[in-house]
Amino acid sequence: MTKAKRPPYGICDNKGRIVMRYATRQGANVAALSWAQCKRGPVSIKHGRKVIARATPHWPDHATLDEGFTPDLPL
C-alpha cells in the first residue's frame, strides 16, 4: 500500500507557516484572495517550498494576486 499524498499547494500566513493545503492551484488562489481580504494582510501561495504567488489586500473589498511573472517581484 502507498501513503496518501498531501495536497501540493498551500497558503501561508505572515510568518510563513502553511495554514491550509489545496489540491489545485485555482483553489489555492481563490482561498488566498479571500484570506487576504479577511485578515487584511498579505498571504503567500506555495508549491512545495517555493513561493509562486502572493495575494495582497488594497482596501476592504479588494485584493490582487501577484503571480511573479516579472523578475523584479520581491517575493
Side-chain angles (χ1 to χ4, degrees):
M1 297 194 71
T2 60
K3 262 181 19 178
K5 291 185 177 182
R6 65 181 186 203
Y9 296 98
I11 59 172
C12 304
D13 59 359
N14 290 339
K15 297 179 182 176
R17 295 178 295 199
I18 295 180
V19 292
M20 290 292 295
R21 292 197 173 270
Y22 295 93
T24 63
R25 185 171 179 170
Q26 180 64 31
N29 289 348
V30 171
L33 287 170
S34 66
W35 271 67
Q37 288 176 0
C38 292
K39 301 293 183 185
R40 293 188 177 108
V43 176
S44 300
I45 301 172
K46 287 187 176 181
H47 183 256
R49 293 184 179 186
K50 183 179 178 186
V51 175
I52 58 172
R54 178 169 289 180
T56 52
H58 293 289
W59 48 82
D61 61 341
H62 183 70
T64 58
L65 188 68
D66 192 359
E67 297 185 281
F69 294 123
T70 58
D72 58 340
L73 176 69
L75 292 178

